[in-house]
Amino acid sequence: MIVDCAIYQDGRRMAGPADLSDALARARAEGDAFLWIGLHEPTEEEFEHVRTEFGLHPLAVEDALNAHQRPKLEVYDDSLFVVLKPVVYEPEGDTVSSGEVMLFLGDSFMVTVRHGEGSPLGSVRQRLEAEPGLLKQGPTAVLYAISDAVVDHYLDVATELQTDLEELEAQVFSPEGGRSRHTAMRIYNFKRQILEFRRATVPLGAPLGRLAGTGPFAAAVPFVAESAQPFFRDVSDHLTRVNESVEGLDRLVSDILSAHLAQMSVRQNDDMRKISAWAAMAAVPTMIAGVYGMNFDHMPELHWTWSYPAVIALMVGLEIVLYRTFKRRGWL
């Protein structure tokens, strides 16, 4: 469905015709105007009219309809196709979910397609409409503003993940928390959320580098003004900070998981030593009682009056010796 459709001239929203063809023709006739259409999870039938009017490439349209794309930038004859993945972090469940924003940028038009939640399109449009000086730069300004909003939110999510990871680390190394059977599951789940976050941030580096005019593909991108490259470099720098933070979080989670498993192994060894010590202490009186429990006629001290208390005293003495030995070695 079409969420919003407007013509912007000299950075200000204008009342335009309802028909897309007439609106695009008017925007191109004005010279300093462009048409911005926003759609939310359109069906194939709903998007067909937009594809026909703007001459969008079938492969890009297929990606926009099916979603589940990685961040990328593709150049076609009549348009530029960009995919961004905004993310949302829910601290209550320690879950990272991602949506998708597809942008078609061409001659005097911008088409944005949103899938899922967490999209900044509404707030970006409001901010741009409040800044005519920026919006007058045309579709390039829209592409920059959306990219900047998405990456800035990455920084917020990375900060929230860092805070929750510190809490998880404190729990793992606490005397009680490290013994929970659910701790390893929570650590692994946290690692999966970081992986989901990385799927949104890491692939975006190459497209932003290309828009910024850096890296191996530094040639100018069609439909994007070269004067905007410094702005995209700023966004690319922010993304680099995010990716460095994500790499650090991923390594720290792996270290915490390894440390937790090592703790569990040490505790199991301690438990096995205690069990072995108690088993050894139980074996001594059992052996003595077993020997004197045999039905033989000729056994030493069998008819001695003090045999029973002597054997009991021997058992107690050996138990005391074993207990003190194991206690001194830290087995008990």
Side-chain angles (χ1 to χ4, degrees), residues 1 5 12 47 82 114 131 138 161 177 179 185 189 233 255 268 271 273 281 321:
M1 57 177 291
C5 176
R12 301 188 180 279
F47 203 65
V82 181
R114 176 168 64 90
E131 299 181 21
L161 284 171
R179 297 179 179 272
M185 183 183 301
N189 180 67
R233 280 199 292 271
D255 292 343
Q268 288 177 351
D271 293 340
R273 285 189 297 181
M281 293 174 63
V321 171

Side-chain angles (χ1 to χ4, degrees), residues 86-254:
V87 298
V88 175
Y89 180 58
E90 299 177 1
E92 295 79 8
D94 292 340
T95 57
V96 174
S97 58
S98 61
E100 292 185 38
V101 175
M102 284 83 165
L103 302 96
F104 294 88
L105 187 151
D107 181 17
S108 300
F109 72 84
M110 166 67 77
V111 177
T112 56
V113 182
R114 176 168 64 90
H115 291 271
E117 301 299 327
S119 170
L121 294 180
S123 59
V124 168
R125 188 185 286 262
Q126 293 177 2
R127 181 168 66 86
L128 285 175
E129 290 179 353
E131 299 181 21
L134 178 60
L135 192 55
K136 68 187 299 183
Q137 303 302 319
T140 300
V142 178
L143 176 59
Y144 159 71
I146 295 176
S147 303
D148 186 54
V150 170
V151 173
D152 281 350
H153 190 60
Y154 287 165
L155 290 169
D156 296 336
V157 172
T159 302
E160 293 177 353
L161 284 171
Q162 179 68 43
T163 301
D164 285 355
L165 184 57
E166 290 173 357
E167 296 177 357
L168 178 59
E169 183 180 16
Q171 177 185 353
V172 168
F173 291 104
S174 66
E176 298 80 12
R179 297 179 179 272
S180 174
R181 66 180 65 183
H182 302 294
T183 301
M185 183 183 301
R186 187 181 176 194
I187 297 173
Y188 184 72
N189 180 67
F190 204 96
K191 189 174 182 63
R192 287 188 61 88
Q193 304 314 312
I194 294 177
L195 176 61
E196 180 69 21
F197 192 24
R198 291 185 63 180
R199 288 173 180 167
T201 63
V202 174
L204 186 57
L208 281 180
R210 190 172 179 184
L211 291 170
T214 59
F217 305 101
V221 178
F223 309 109
V224 176
E226 291 189 26
S227 59
Q229 288 182 350
F231 296 93
F232 285 109
R233 280 199 292 271
D234 181 66
V235 179
S236 182
D237 289 343
H238 290 176
L239 181 64
T240 300
R241 288 174 50 197
V242 172
N243 285 332
E244 290 175 351
S245 178
V246 172
E247 289 293 335
L249 289 173
D250 188 55
R251 288 195 299 269
L252 184 56
V253 171
S254 298

